[in-house]
Amino acid sequence: MGRGDEVLSHGRATLRQGHVALGIFLVAYILSFVDRQILSLMVEPIKQDLALSDLQVGLLQGLAFALLYAVVGIPIGMLADRISRRRIIAVGVLFWSACTALCGFAGSYAHLFVARMGVGLGEASLSPSAHSWLSDAYPPAQLSRAMAIYNLGITIGGGLALLVGGAVVDMVAAQGALVLPGIGPMPTWRAAFLLVALPGLLVTALVFVAREPARRAGWVKAGMPFRAALSHLRAHWRTFAAIYANSTLLGTMGYGLSAWYPTLLIRTFDMTPGQASLRLGLIYLLLGSLGSLAGGFAAERLSLKGVRDANLRMAMILAFLCVIPATLAPVMPSSTLLLLLFSVLTFCFNGYFGCSLAAIQLATPPSMRATGAALFLLANSLVGLSLGTAIVPLIDNALFDGNGQIGPSLATVGLCASLIAALAAWSGLRSYAATNEAVARG
């Protein structure tokens, strides 16, 4: 069956509805990354205001967010295999936006930690439901491209968090405080949380514009029991171990990049938050987005040529391409060289996640795809996000005297994570192709 025949058999109306939903989910995903990453630009003022260490800030960026984001994603994913995914997403957007606003009112480390947990709880609703929705709206060969477009939310959201957040931080720093109507003057970091929370109301309304597609054949109203889902993972453990290991290791590196590169530029090259965020934000927006699309399109072309392991193979190639720039960029002696290598790294790195998500969906029966996505995000977030943001200061303390010059620790993480991730994907190529064929046969 050719690509055109595949689209016709799937239904052009369903595909058009899928495009609308994909656009809305992209906007929601962008907002989620702005809300979760804005903290990375405000490390220094939060440390000073609440008297925190680098490690405590790292835990706020990672563990606090990931605790509920990862764990609650599983029951939410199981729920999304049973009830309206649209309602789940709408409630989640509204909840995480409210918790983002509460971060701005935190009076202690504990209060900020709990508010960040709430942001993670709300954001846990989005991806499992969206992944399941898109896998029903798009034919299999086009799924990697759809996932790549959805995952532009990471690069666009991360880039906007840097660009907008950096501008706000610099502006308010120059003025001393930002005066908000009905609230009065607020310190920079508190006002930033309130401002980025406001678009959540609009995004919640947009979610109800999307029309939910019919579930694919093989779905039953009760969904697949969780025990059966785990049995599927065990039966194909080599496949899922390779996908999980590759994505978790690359996620560890990626979360470390987004959490600590702004601080690296500020501390090493005496940049202001606005100067650092402008440079990094443009790189994320342009090269990160291009890299995400390139990875998805490359995997799609391989898939259309009949390569059954296309998505995992692409994730392997991209991990290998990350090894050199991830190792060298953070220890460059000038900001120009650092940003040049960081640009290469950003392009190569951001292509992998859409491929990994498509790999998980295509290796998973239709009746458990939201649950499968939630299990995947559990591993990627609980390990990658929690470890990625904390491991940089931990390695700095353990190996480099804890002097706060975090370049060497970022280089260590980049080398180890990208190389082992590539080898993990390579080890599972044959088993992934077999699992993909078995699921396609039903």
Side-chain angles (χ1 to χ4, degrees):
M1 181 182 290
R3 178 174 175 176
D5 295 332
E6 184 182 48
V7 171
L8 285 172
S9 67
H10 188 74
R12 293 192 182 277
T14 299
L15 207 55
R16 284 195 297 271
Q17 294 165 12
H19 295 338
V20 172
L22 178 57
I24 294 170
F25 296 158
L26 173 59
V27 173
Y29 206 30
I30 289 170
L31 177 64
S32 77
F33 263 81
V34 171
D35 288 356
R36 90 173 62 167
Q37 288 194 270
I38 190 70
L39 194 151
S40 69
L41 268 181
M42 302 181 292
V43 169
E44 300 303 334
I46 291 175
K47 282 181 62 179
Q48 294 171 11
D49 201 356
L50 300 181
L52 307 181
S53 66
D54 273 355
L55 181 56
Q56 286 177 303
V57 174
L59 293 174
L60 281 173
Q61 295 188 77
L63 182 63
F65 176 87
L67 276 174
L68 291 181
Y69 179 76
V71 176
V72 179
I74 295 176
I76 289 178
M78 295 174 66
L79 195 63
D81 282 329
R82 292 163 170 79
I83 69 170
S84 168
R85 294 165 286 196
R86 179 169 59 181
R87 293 179 184 174
I88 292 173
I89 293 171
V91 171
V93 174
L94 195 60
F95 186 81
W96 93 56
S97 299
C99 290
T100 299
L102 288 176
C103 289
F105 294 101
S108 68
Y109 179 69
H111 293 164
L112 187 53
F113 197 97
V114 171
R116 288 283 293 174
M117 289 177 65
V119 176
L121 174 60
E123 291 194 19
S125 69
L126 177 58
S127 285
S129 303
H131 295 175
S132 172
W133 184 312
L134 294 175
S135 69
D136 287 331
Y138 287 90
Q142 293 185 19
L143 185 58
S144 59
R145 174 167 48 167
M147 289 297 187
I149 293 172
Y150 172 71
N151 280 288
L152 288 176
I154 298 174
T155 54
I156 297 175
L160 287 177
L162 290 168
L163 290 173
V164 177
V168 169
V169 169
D170 272 7
M171 176 188 69
V172 180
Q175 298 177 356
L178 185 66
V179 179
L180 298 180
I183 298 175
M186 296 190 73
T188 303
W189 66 272
R190 296 184 184 277
F193 278 119
L194 295 183
L195 292 175
V196 299
L198 290 176
L201 296 173
L202 175 60
V203 174
T204 300
L206 281 177
V207 170
F208 286 101
V209 174
R211 294 181 60 185
E212 192 161 350
R215 310 271 183 168
R216 283 186 184 272
W219 179 82
V220 293
K221 188 171 180 62
M224 179 177 281
F226 186 62
R227 184 176 297 178
L230 293 179
S231 296
H232 178 76
L233 297 183
R234 284 195 297 269
H236 302 278
W237 70 269
R238 291 183 184 277
T239 292
F240 289 100
I243 300 172
Y244 278 37
N246 171 269
S247 183
T248 299
L249 287 161
L250 288 177
T252 299
M253 180 180 74
Y255 287 121
L257 298 182
S258 61
W260 291 108
Y261 259 79
T263 303
L264 175 66
L265 290 176
I266 292 167
R267 290 181 182 175
T268 306
F269 301 106
D270 295 323
M271 293 186 185
T272 67
Q275 291 170 336
S277 64
L278 175 63
R279 289 157 175 79
L280 295 175
L282 288 174
I283 291 171
Y284 272 115
L285 276 173
L286 300 178
L287 293 175
S289 299
L290 287 174
S292 181
L293 291 173
F297 276 94
E300 180 182 346
R301 289 186 65 84
L302 287 177
S303 180
L304 290 171
K305 290 179 180 179
V307 180
R308 300 298 296 183
D309 62 4
N311 289 292
L312 188 57
R313 182 173 294 273
M314 200 65 226
M316 176 194 71
I317 293 169
L318 292 168
F320 272 124
L321 292 175
C322 286
V323 173
I324 292 176
T327 306
L328 296 181
V331 293
M332 286 292 99
S334 73
S335 60
T336 300
L337 290 174
L338 184 151
L339 291 169
L340 180 62
L341 285 171
F342 182 75
S343 298
V344 175
L345 174 60
T346 300
F347 178 84
C348 296
F349 169 78
N350 280 285
Y352 93 91
F353 199 51
C355 298
S356 296
L357 293 173
I360 286 290
Q361 292 292 298
L362 296 177
T364 304
S367 54
M368 60 166 284
R369 279 179 170 160
T371 304
L375 287 168
F376 171 72
L377 292 171
L378 169 65
N380 194 68
S381 300
L382 194 59
V383 178
L385 179 52
S386 299
L387 187 60
T389 54
I391 197 171
V392 173
L394 285 172
I395 290 178
D396 181 48
N397 290 333
L399 301 181
F400 303 107
D401 300 323
N403 58 14
Q405 300 301 312
I406 54 179
S409 56
L410 278 167
T412 303
V413 173
L415 171 62
C416 296
S418 56
L419 182 57
I420 300 173
L423 295 174
W426 173 77
S427 72
L429 291 178
R430 184 176 298 179
S431 60
Y432 170 69
T435 302
N436 204 351
E437 288 186 18
V439 171
R441 289 196 303 268

